[in-house]
Amino acid sequence: MNFGRYRAGKRLGEGSLGVVYEGWDGERPFAVKVLHPWLGKDPKLVKSVIDLGHALTLLSQPEIARLHEAGRLPDERVFLVLEYVAGETLAVRLRRAPLSTSEALQMARRISGALAAAQKKGIAHLGLKPQNVMLLTDAGGERIKVLDLGILRLLGERAMQGAATGYLAPEQIEHDPAVGGQADVYALGVMFYEMLSGKLPRGTGGSLSGISGLGAPPTPLGQLVPALSKDVVALVQAMMGRAPDRRPAMGDVATRLSQLEEDLLVGQSIGSYRVLGKLGQGGMGTVFRAVNEQIGRNAAIKVMRQHFAQTAEVAKRFLNEARAVNLIRHPSLVEIFEFGQLASGAPYLVMEFLEGESLQQRRQKRGGAIAEFEAKNLIRQVALAVAAAHAKGIIHRDIKPDNLMIIADPIAPGGERIKLLDFGIAKVSAPAPGLSNDGDATQLDTHVGSLMGTPTYMAPEQFHGAGQVTDKTDVYALGVILYELLAGRRPYEQVGILPMSEPPKPLLECAPHVTMTTAALTQRMLSFRPADRPPMSEVADQLVQMLTPQNIDGAPISQMDFAPTVPEPLGSRAMMEASGPASILLPRVGPTGPSARTPVSGFQGVPEGSGSSGLSISGPTGSAGQFIQPSVLSAMGPRRWLIIGGFGVAGLVAAVLLLVSPGPEGGRGAAPQGAAMQGAGRSDDHGGQEAKAGATDIAAQRAAALATLREGLRDSAAPIRAAAALGLGATRDVRHQMLLEPLLRDPDPLVQARAAEALGQIQARSAAPAVASLLERTLDGGTFVSAASALAELSDSRGPRRLREALLAKELAVKMKAALALTDRGDVEARRVLSRLAKQPGMPADTEAEALSHLARAGDAGAPRDLLLLLEAPETGPEGKIAAAAGLGRLGEERGKTYLSRIAAEPGPQQLLAARRLAGLSDGRSDMICEKVAADVSRPLQDRLLAVEVLGVSDRPEEALLGSLLQDQSPPRLRLKAAESLLLRAARPATGK
C-alpha cells in the first residue's frame, strides 16, 4: 500500500498509537505512522494533525521531530507522515545501564528545553516516555529528537488505553479535564529518576494504583544514588509532585538543570585552571573563579549555557569576545588568557580576575549620580579604550554600566581604572592592519535584521537591526551613561525609537551644577542622527582636555572656566539647515503668500515684496526673512522655506517656534501641491481617456468618482481628506500615487497615516523614500505603524524592522497594530506578542477576535478553537460574536458563515455589520438589504456607510444607485464611500453580466 503520494516501505515497528512504516517521497525517507483503528476515523482529525504539524514547523526546534503531513487510507485509518529519525530510543539506552549524573542532567536539560519551547506555543506532549525520545549520533556529537509531540491531546481519551501508565501524571489517570503542560513535567521527572537510578520511581510496574499517588511513595532517589547532590534530588522530587501547581514550570526546570550542570564544574579543571566556585551568572552563561595552581594566577572563567551553545551563531559570538579583545590590547579592556570548548560542547573564556565594583553599583552607592570630575575621569578611560577598538574596526554594541568594572590601580589617574567587559556581540567591521579578510576575526557580524544590545542604552539606529550599527552607536551609548551619571536618571524614561525622535531633556535642567562644556558634549553624543555625533576619539580628546591635573586631583571645576556654547535648538533637526552664520533656514508648511503672517515671541512678519525666489518679510530690530518658492528649492519638497537673519540667539529661539503645524486655508482648503496639479488635469486622467475611447456609463461614473475623491483630498476637514485617501488606496490603482504622496506632509497625522496606508495598498514602490521620510519625522504612534506597514507592503526592508520597534511601544493600540501587521508577514515573535495581547484581561471581544483570526491564518493551532469558544460564550457581546464568526468564516468554518447569515437576515442594530462581514467572505446574500439602506436618507449615516461599503464588493449591478449618491446633497463621507465603491467595482474583471 501507499500513503497518499508516499511510497510504502518496510515495517519499522509498532507502538501504543499505531504501526510505523518507511515512506518514500522520491529518494527522501519518512516515517509513516498508521494509527490503530480504535483511535478514530474522524476526518477532522486529519485537519487537526495538519494544523499541529504547521505549528511544529513554525516552532523550529531542532530537538522536536517534524510532523509533515496527515491523511486517510482507503479503510479510513489515519496516517501521519513524520520526520525520519535513525538511532536508538532512550528506553533502549536505559536497558543497558543508568546514566551518569552529568549524562542524565544533559539529557533531561535537552528534553526540558525542547518541551519548554513547545509549551510557550501552547503545545504539550502528554505522552512523554523514554520510547518517545530518540538518540542520534553524528559528526556533531549526540543529539535528541522528541517524537509524537502533541499527538495524544488530539487523540483524546482513546489514546490513554495504550499509554505507558508509569509516566502518566496523577491528573491524567484521574481524567482531570484541565490536564496541561505540567503533566509533561511529571513525566520528565519520572524519566530523570529512571535515568539516574535505572528504575521507575515505584515498584508497581506502572500500575494505576501506584502512580495515582494514592499508594506508597516511591523510594527516595537519594537512597538509591547516595552520591547525588541534594539539589538534584530536590528537583526530581519537585517535578514528581502530586499537585500540578506545586511542580515547577518546564522553563524553570530547563534553567535549573543548566545550573546543576554548571555546578558539576566546581572542582574540575578547565584548560590549565582549576574551578574554585561560582562568581555570578547572566543571561547567556555563568562566571566561575579559578586558579592556575602552577603559577598561582587567579582567573575568571565564563562558560556559555548549554542551550545557547547548541546554536552555532550564538557560540561564535561568545568566542568573538576573545578575538576582539586580542585585536585591541588596551589597559582598560579585560585580558583574556585562554578560550575553547568543554567536552559537552559549551564554549568558555579564561579571563583576567577583577576585584572591584561595576559602574552601576558605584552609581547606586552614590545615590544615583556621581561628581562631575569623577564621572568624566571614568568615562574618559572608557572613551580611550573604545576609540582604540574603533581604530581596529571593532564596535562594541553593548556598552552599559553593568559592563564597566572599576578596580583599584595606583598608577591610573585618581587611583582607579575602569575595565570594559563583554565584547561578545562586538561587530568586527574592518580587518586590522596585517590581517587578511578571510578569517573568522573579520567575519563575525550578526544577521542584519537582528537587534543587538541593551535597549536602554541602544542608539536609535540600533533598533533598525545589527546592519545599521556604526562606531557612532557606541558614542550614543556612552553619552547615555555620562548623562545618567551626572543627572541621576537616563535621558529617556521610555525605551524605543519613538521617544528618541525628540531631544532629551537638557542635561543642565536635570543637573544645573554640570559645566556647559560637559553638557554640550553630552548632548552631541546623544544626537539622533549618527552623523551629528562626534567620533569616539574626539570624545576622548575633549574629556582629556577638560580633565587637567588639578581637576583629576579633585579641585573644583568652575562654570567660568568654560566658554558658553549654544545647545542644539529644540525642534525637528531633520528639517533644519544652516544658511550662513547669521541665518537659519526653516521649513514652512501651510498657508503662504502675502497674507500669511505668523507672530512668534513678539515678532510679526510684515511683507515687503516678492521676487522670483520668494516673499521677503521684515520684523523688529532689523530682523528680516524670506519665504523661498518651491521652484528655487525643488529638492526640498512641496513646502515653503523661511530664511531668518540678524536675530542672534533670540532669533534662533524665534526660528524654532516657527516650526508649527500648518492649518488648511479657509473653505475647502488649498490642495497639497501635487494634488492641486493633478486636480487641474483630471479630464485627461483615467475618466477622460476612457471617455475619448468610447464613453460608457461606468466610465463616466468612474470619472465622477475620481473627481469626488480629488475634491475630498482638498477638503479643510482632516477626516474627509483621510477618507478620500483611503478611497483611492482601496482601488489598488498605482496611478493614484501622484495624488496621495503629497498627503504624507499633510499637517494632520491621521491624513498622513491614511496616505501611507493607501500608497502601500496601491503598491507605489517609488513612493518608498517619501513614506520612509514620514516614518523618521512622525511622533504619532499610529502614523508610525501605518508608515512602517506601508513600507513592508512596498517590500522595503525598513518596514518590518520599524514594526518590530513598535512592538515595544507603551500604547496598546500601537503595539496591537504592529503585531497584527507583522503576524500577517509570518513574524514568529510578533505572533507571541499578539497571542499575549489577545489574552489580556479587559480586551474587547471584537479586538480579541480580530487578533485570533490573524493568529489562525498564521498557523496558530489553538486560535480556531479560541474563536469558536468566543463565538459560543454567553458573555461575548454581539460585535465580538460577529468578529469571531467572520474569523471562523475566513478559515472555512461553516458555523461562522451560518451565524453571520442569521444576523444579517434579521433587522436590528447588528444586521449591517454582519452583512459587511459576509461580503468580506464573498457572500452576496445581503445585497438587497444594503441597497435599501444605502438609499434611505432617514437611516443613520453610519448604517448607510456600511451599506455602501458592502455594495462595493457585491456581485450585483448597483452602479446607478452608487452614482446617485455622488450628488452634492449627499453627506461628504457618504459621497466618498460611494466613489470608493464605484471605483472598486470598475476595477473588477468583467463577469458577463
Side-chain angles (χ1 to χ4, degrees):
M1 63 178 173
N2 286 340
F3 312 105
R5 63 187 176 90
Y6 297 88
R7 178 168 46 88
K10 64 183 179 181
R11 174 174 167 146
L12 297 175
E14 183 173 355
S16 61
L17 299 182
V19 182
V20 182
Y21 299 87
E22 276 186 349
W24 297 87
D25 184 10
E27 298 300 318
R28 186 180 176 191
F30 292 86
V32 181
K33 180 172 289 188
V34 179
L35 300 182
H36 292 310
W38 63 81
L39 293 177
K41 301 179 180 181
D42 185 355
K44 292 184 179 179
L45 176 61
V46 174
K47 184 179 184 303
S48 299
V49 171
I50 292 173
D51 291 341
L52 173 63
H54 184 57
L56 294 179
T57 299
L58 292 176
L59 189 60
S60 299
Q61 195 71 17
E63 294 85 8
I64 295 176
R66 296 283 184 89
L67 200 169
H68 293 281
E69 206 171 313
R72 287 191 295 167
L73 296 174
D75 61 4
E76 300 300 315
R77 285 183 298 164
V78 174
F79 67 85
L80 316 178
V81 181
L82 308 162
E83 177 182 357
Y84 186 85
V85 181
E88 68 176 2
T89 67
L90 178 59
V92 172
R93 171 74 62 85
L94 291 178
R95 288 192 202 114
R96 293 198 294 268
L99 304 183
S100 68
T101 302
S102 61
E103 289 174 330
L105 283 168
Q106 185 179 93
M107 184 69 64
R109 188 250 310 153
R110 289 177 174 176
I111 297 170
S112 63
L115 294 178
Q119 289 186 13
K120 285 182 179 179
K121 294 289 187 180
I123 305 172
H125 196 295
L126 304 186
L128 185 65
K129 55 188 177 182
Q131 290 86 345
N132 282 336
V133 178
M134 292 290 294
L135 310 180
L136 300 78
T137 304
D138 52 27
E142 188 173 72
R143 297 182 293 117
I144 70 162
K145 287 283 185 179
V146 178
L147 310 179
D148 291 343
L149 180 65
I151 298 297
L152 209 65
R153 183 183 287 278
L154 296 181
L155 298 177
E157 292 291 332
R158 292 162 297 184
M160 294 282 291
Q161 298 172 10
T165 54
Y167 304 93
L168 293 178
E171 62 268 27
Q172 290 177 285
I173 297 299
E174 295 166 357
H175 306 291
D176 187 336
V179 170
Q182 291 303 93
D184 291 345
V185 175
Y186 182 94
L188 183 57
V190 174
M191 290 169 59
F192 195 15
Y193 185 109
E194 186 179 7
M195 287 183 237
L196 292 164
S197 67
K199 302 177 181 179
L200 281 171
R202 296 168 176 85
T204 59
S207 70
L208 300 188
S209 61
I211 66 164
S212 68
L214 302 177
T219 304
L221 184 59
Q223 291 183 18
L224 297 176
V225 191
L228 281 179
S229 73
K230 293 181 180 179
D231 290 335
V232 173
V233 173
L235 177 61
V236 175
Q237 184 175 345
M239 294 171 69
M240 291 171 26
R242 171 168 171 71
D245 58 353
R246 301 296 297 273
R247 301 173 203 142
M250 189 64 79
D252 296 334
V253 170
T255 301
R256 187 68 184 123
L257 288 167
S258 292
Q259 294 169 349
L260 291 171
E261 271 192 280
E262 292 165 355
D263 290 343
L264 294 180
L265 291 173
V266 177
Q268 305 297 315
S269 292
I270 298 178
S272 54
Y273 291 82
R274 185 168 62 85
V275 179
L276 302 177
K278 280 187 181 181
L279 286 172
Q281 58 191 33
M284 290 185 65
T286 301
V287 181
F288 297 87
R289 182 167 185 168
V291 63
N292 185 316
E293 294 177 320
Q294 291 184 340
I295 60 177
R297 178 165 67 181
N298 289 325
I301 302 181
K302 183 192 293 186
V303 179
M304 175 179 270
R305 292 259 161 81
Q306 286 283 355
H307 58 281
F308 288 116
Q310 293 172 14
T311 305
E313 178 71 17
V314 179
K316 187 170 70 173
R317 287 183 207 146
F318 186 83
L319 296 179
N320 188 20
E321 181 167 4
R323 299 183 177 103
V325 170
N326 286 333
L327 282 175
I328 304 167
R329 299 285 186 186
H330 191 277
S332 285
L333 300 182
V334 64
E335 187 177 356
I336 294 181
F337 307 136
E338 297 179 17
F339 63 94
Q341 285 186 308
L342 301 177
S344 64
Y348 69 86
L349 302 175
V350 182
M351 306 180 294
E352 176 184 5
F353 179 74
L354 302 177
E355 290 186 280
E357 63 182 356
S358 71
L359 183 58
Q360 180 72 355
Q361 292 170 325
R362 169 70 59 89
R363 190 178 74 83
Q364 290 171 346
K365 283 169 59 176
R366 301 287 172 83
I370 64 178
E372 181 176 354
F373 80 91
E374 181 183 6
K376 290 195 294 189
N377 179 40
L378 294 172
I379 297 301
R380 172 189 63 84
Q381 295 183 50
V382 180
L384 288 168
V386 178
H390 290 176
K392 297 285 189 180
I394 298 171
I395 304 165
H396 190 285
R397 298 200 289 194
D398 196 22
I399 301 175
K400 57 184 177 182
D402 286 327
N403 280 340
L404 295 167
M405 180 71 73
I406 304 169
I407 63 172
D409 187 344
I411 66 172
E416 290 183 330
R417 183 174 300 283
I418 195 163
K419 290 272 192 175
L420 176 59
L421 314 176
D422 203 355
F423 274 79
I425 64 169
K427 174 181 177 181
V428 184
S429 59
L435 290 178
S436 65
N437 199 23
D438 57 359
D440 283 345
T442 58
Q443 301 295 324
L444 296 171
D445 195 8
T446 53
H447 296 300
V448 172
S450 58
L451 295 182
M452 289 284 125
T454 302
T456 47
Y457 298 93
M458 280 166 55
E461 66 274 10
Q462 209 164 355
F463 284 92
H464 299 172
Q468 304 298 315
V469 169
T470 69
D471 56 350
K472 298 296 185 68
T473 301
D474 286 345
V475 174
Y476 187 94
L478 199 58
V480 174
I481 296 172
L482 182 55
Y483 187 110
E484 187 177 25
L485 293 179
L486 297 170
R489 49 157 283 182
R490 285 191 288 270
Y492 297 101
E493 295 302 325
Q494 186 178 351
V495 176
I497 186 92
L498 291 176
M500 292 190 291
S501 60
E502 278 296 295
K505 189 174 184 179
L507 179 58
L508 286 174
E509 290 187 23
C510 303
H513 61 280
V514 173
T515 61
M516 294 185 70
T517 305
T518 302
L521 174 62
T522 306
Q523 184 161 329
R524 288 181 63 207
M525 295 170 73
L526 293 173
S527 295
F528 187 83
R529 295 196 310 160
D532 295 335
R533 300 173 209 148
M536 191 64 80
S537 57
E538 183 181 331
V539 172
D541 289 344
Q542 286 202 33
L543 289 170
V544 168
Q545 291 172 17
M546 293 180 198
L547 291 165
T548 60
Q550 60 266 32
N551 296 146
I552 293 176
D553 291 338
I557 302 175
S558 170
Q559 291 271 7
M560 301 303 294
D561 293 338
F562 302 93
T565 58
V566 179
E568 180 182 9
L570 300 182
S572 180
R573 353 187 201 338
M575 300 198 301
M576 299 177 66
E577 293 197 12
S579 179
S583 63
I584 186 165
L585 183 64
L586 296 175
R588 184 77 175 101
V589 186
T592 59
S595 62
R597 301 183 181 184
T598 307
V600 180
S601 299
F603 173 77
Q604 176 70 54
V606 180
E608 289 188 330
S610 61
S612 60
S613 62
L615 172 70
S616 298
I617 61 172
S618 63
T621 66
S623 57
Q626 185 177 47
F627 284 107
I628 308 299
Q629 297 292 351
S631 58
V632 179
L633 298 172
S634 59
M636 298 178 183
R639 56 171 67 222
R640 311 286 185 174
W641 291 77
L642 174 65
I643 295 182
I644 301 174
F647 288 164
V649 175
L652 288 176
V653 176
V656 171
L657 293 176
L658 276 173
L659 288 171
V660 294
S661 298
E665 297 180 17
R668 288 252 177 210
Q673 188 180 10
M677 293 173 63
Q678 275 291 317
R682 68 172 177 261
S683 63
D684 291 328
D685 200 350
H686 312 300
Q689 293 175 2
E690 291 171 5
K692 292 177 183 178
T696 62
D697 289 342
I698 187 61
Q701 288 174 339
R702 178 173 181 172
L706 281 172
T708 299
L709 291 175
R710 287 196 186 101
E711 183 183 3
L713 295 178
R714 299 192 296 271
D715 199 279
S716 60
I720 299 299
R721 298 198 302 276
L726 275 184
L728 288 175
T731 66
R732 311 278 177 172
D733 191 332
V734 75
R735 291 174 292 182
H736 298 322
Q737 177 180 344
M738 295 182 66
L739 293 172
L740 292 166
E741 194 168 334
L743 296 180
L744 295 174
R745 292 191 174 276
D746 189 278
D748 192 280
L750 175 66
V751 180
Q752 296 172 358
R754 297 297 177 258
E757 293 168 7
L759 287 166
Q761 283 182 295
I762 67 174
Q763 290 292 294
R765 299 202 174 185
S766 60
V771 177
S773 177
L774 169 63
L775 193 64
E776 295 299 332
R777 68 177 183 271
T778 185
L779 300 180
D780 179 76
T783 305
F784 182 92
V785 176
S786 292
S789 299
L791 279 180
E793 289 294 324
L794 299 175
S795 302
D796 190 300
S797 60
R798 289 170 289 189
R801 290 203 302 270
R802 306 306 292 275
L803 284 171
R804 281 190 284 272
E805 293 170 19
L807 293 178
L808 304 174
K810 188 176 182 181
E811 298 86 355
L812 179 62
V814 173
K815 188 182 297 187
M816 175 70 80
K817 189 175 178 182
L820 288 170
L822 284 169
T823 296
D824 289 343
R825 301 185 65 81
D827 190 291
V828 176
E829 177 58 31
R831 280 184 56 192
R832 286 195 285 265
V833 173
L834 185 58
S835 182
R836 289 197 300 269
L837 292 176
K839 296 173 183 175
Q840 280 194 354
M843 179 68 66
D846 56 340
T847 305
E848 180 184 357
E850 190 68 22
L852 290 171
S853 180
H854 285 255
L855 287 168
R857 296 200 300 273
D860 190 306
R865 179 197 63 235
D866 293 340
L867 277 171
L868 189 57
L869 291 174
L870 195 62
L871 175 62
E872 296 176 347
E875 64 272 17
T876 305
E879 292 187 0
K881 286 182 177 289
I882 288 174
L888 289 167
R890 281 193 290 269
L891 298 174
E893 174 58 58
E894 199 58 37
R895 278 174 288 187
K897 281 190 175 184
T898 301
Y899 180 85
L900 291 175
S901 299
R902 178 168 59 81
I903 300 300
E906 300 172 357
Q910 308 303 326
Q911 182 183 31
L912 286 172
L913 185 57
R916 177 64 188 92
R917 296 287 193 169
L918 272 177
L921 301 176
S922 300
D923 189 306
R925 282 176 277 185
S926 54
D927 293 349
M928 293 292 292
I929 300 169
C930 293
E931 287 180 41
K932 294 177 181 178
V933 173
D936 187 352
V937 295
S938 66
R939 294 294 293 262
L941 176 60
Q942 195 60 40
D943 287 358
R944 299 182 72 193
L945 286 171
L946 266 175
V948 171
E949 190 173 342
V950 174
L951 297 180
V953 294
S954 73
D955 290 327
R956 293 175 57 82
E958 294 90 8
E959 286 85 357
L961 171 60
L962 294 172
S964 70
L965 296 176
L966 296 179
Q967 303 304 314
D968 287 337
Q969 61 266 30
S970 298
R973 289 180 61 193
L974 189 62
R975 295 176 65 229
L976 292 174
K977 183 58 70 175
E980 176 186 330
S981 293
L982 271 171
L983 291 175
L984 276 174
R985 296 183 60 78
R988 292 166 61 186
T991 61
K993 291 186 293 187

